[in-house]
Amino acid sequence: MEWTGARYADKPTVEVSIRIDAPPERVWEVVCDIETMPRMSPELWSVEWLDGRTGPCLGARFVGHNRHEAFGEWSTTSHLVEYEPPRVFAWAVEDIERPSAVWRFTLTPQEGGGTLLRQWMQLGPGRSGLSYAIDRMPVKEQSIVFVRMREFETNIGSTLTAIKELAEGGPDLPSVLPDGTFGKASE
């Protein structure tokens, strides 16, 4: 990610893509299994559906529990705002009208087979934990936003790599290891 000078109010975005040698329907199964996602994410450590749900549908809600070395632990409630099997899976964090973030997976079938999987995220416009860091150091806002967006880009890349391994039929589900690399859950 290159320096953009973006501020939080600019609603900065990042997108990472990966080609997966599996049909969209298989990739979709992995992407929509939010309870498996913590095993593939450097920050997300637990997630569960709310309101008695056991799977995704438009409007469904889930809570995610996160950990970050600098920010500590926190939980957020997300709302599925786009659900178009097997193409788009997106959620808004906290407030649907003014989310603290929006996340989206987009799956595109590829000529000759396989799937192009893109994960996109937008920070803001609603306040998030990052807002408190900016409140404490407003003169460093652009740097704070840049560092966090670069971190999101790296983490998304790690998540997509894990999704690829699983969708392509790896023998075990990969897990993010403490150093941010991937290994098998049994390691």
Side-chain angles (χ1 to χ4, degrees), residues 17-97:
S17 63
I18 194 167
R19 188 177 187 299
I20 300 176
D21 291 323
E25 294 75 17
R26 172 64 186 134
V27 177
W28 181 259
E29 289 174 16
V30 177
V31 164
C32 291
D33 185 356
I34 66 165
E35 293 166 341
T36 298
M37 209 47 73
R39 304 263 313 271
M40 297 183 271
S41 170
E43 282 187 28
L44 182 66
W45 60 272
S46 173
V47 64
E48 64 269 348
W49 291 107
L50 296 174
D51 309 317
R53 297 283 320 152
T54 58
C57 71
L58 192 60
R61 298 180 326 132
F62 62 90
V63 65
H65 307 282
N66 301 275
R67 283 189 195 130
H68 187 281
E69 157 182 308
F71 302 122
E73 296 183 6
W74 71 97
S75 297
T76 59
T77 300
S78 293
H79 310 260
L80 288 186
V81 293
E82 292 180 74
Y83 183 74
E84 301 171 25
R87 294 184 338 101
V88 181
F89 184 79
W91 61 97
V93 181
E94 296 298 343
D95 186 333
I96 293 174
E97 298 300 318

Side-chain angles (χ1 to χ4, degrees), residues 118-169:
R118 293 187 314 265
Q119 187 173 12
W120 172 92
M121 73 83 54
Q122 171 187 291
L123 190 59
R127 289 179 60 82
S128 71
L130 199 61
S131 302
Y132 299 104
I134 294 167
D135 290 347
R136 286 191 307 271
M137 300 175 283
V139 70
K140 295 184 176 186
E141 178 178 3
Q142 291 170 302
S143 294
I144 292 168
V145 168
F146 174 72
V147 168
R148 187 62 170 142
M149 295 306 289
R150 189 174 56 196
E151 190 172 48
F152 282 137
E153 181 179 51
T154 299
N155 290 350
I156 289 169
S158 295
T159 298
L160 293 180
T161 298
I163 291 170
K164 175 181 174 72
E165 279 190 39
L166 185 58
E168 289 180 350

